[in-house]
């Protein structure tokens, strides 16, 4: 089996309302967990449990270098906190392809932010956790 390695260099765009912000240059970690809830369809007489796909229950966690001020990371995330947003994320660059799929998570909810996360001698980072939303995967170039 052929193996390849991949150096992560994700692009991340956050849209809240009509405002889209490119978070790429402040992001140091991005994790997407796509989940479909398992609904049991096992009938009487079955010898094993059987499941079907239920609702999506996705989660996206971003770790960003923090900055304060108008139009900076803390202000952007604080204004999005508790609201529905859209995230568009690609593993490397903005041109979609089979080797660079773009994931769009629509109507995800920014549940958690850590606007102050400081330690002596370390860069301040903020973690943003988005939950829910519907996902779409695109591999066609624009």
């Amino acid at each position: 089996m052929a193996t390849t390695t991949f150096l992560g260099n994700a692009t991340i765009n956050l849209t809240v309302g009509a405002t889209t912000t490119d978070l790429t240059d402040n992001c140091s970690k991005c994790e997407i967990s796509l989940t479909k809830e398992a609904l049991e369809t096992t009938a009487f007489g079955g010898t094993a449990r059987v499941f079907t796909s239920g609702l999506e229950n996705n989660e996206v966690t971003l770790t960003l270098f923090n900055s304060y001020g108008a139009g900076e990371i803390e202000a952007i995330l604080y204004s999005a906190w508790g609201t529905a947003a859209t995230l568009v994320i690609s593993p490397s660059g903005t041109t979609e392809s089979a080797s660079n799929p773009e994931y769009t998570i629509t109507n995800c909810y920014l549940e958690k932010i850590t606007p102050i996360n400081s330690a002596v001698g370390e860069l301040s980072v903020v973690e943003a956790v988005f939950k829910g939303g519907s996902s779409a995967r695109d591999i066609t170039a624009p």
Side-chain angles (χ1 to χ4, degrees), residues 78-102:
Y78 188 79
S79 68
W81 178 46
T83 66
T86 297
L87 287 167
V88 179
I89 303 169
S90 293
S92 181
T94 57
T95 303
E96 300 86 44
S97 67
S99 60
N100 189 47
E102 176 183 83

Side-chain angles (χ1 to χ4, degrees), residues 4-128:
T4 61
T5 57
F6 180 80
L7 179 61
N9 191 24
T11 58
I12 301 106
N13 287 289
L14 168 67
T15 301
V16 178
T19 304
T20 298
T21 306
D22 186 347
L23 302 176
T24 304
D25 64 347
N26 284 80
C27 194
S28 65
K29 183 177 179 183
C30 173
E31 181 179 345
I32 301 174
S33 288
L34 300 178
T35 303
K36 288 197 178 179
E37 295 171 348
L39 302 177
E40 188 168 357
T41 60
T42 308
F44 289 125
T47 59
R49 297 207 179 273
V50 179
F51 295 90
T52 191
S53 177
L55 296 173
E56 288 186 55
N57 190 9
N58 304 313
E59 184 171 309
V60 177
T61 303
L62 303 176
T63 303
L64 301 130
F65 296 113
N66 209 353
S67 56
Y68 298 93
E72 295 294 328
I73 293 299
E74 181 270 340
I76 292 165
L77 292 177
Y78 188 79
S79 68
W81 178 46
T83 66
T86 297
L87 287 167
V88 179
I89 303 169
S90 293
S92 181
T94 57
T95 303
E96 300 86 44
S97 67
S99 60
N100 189 47
E102 176 183 83
Y103 289 88
T104 301
I105 313 295
T106 306
N107 287 324
C108 55
Y109 174 79
L110 180 50
E111 175 189 51
K112 176 184 173 185
I113 55 174
T114 55
I116 298 176
N117 185 3
S118 298
V120 174
E122 294 181 8
L123 292 173
S124 176
V125 295
V126 58
E127 186 170 272

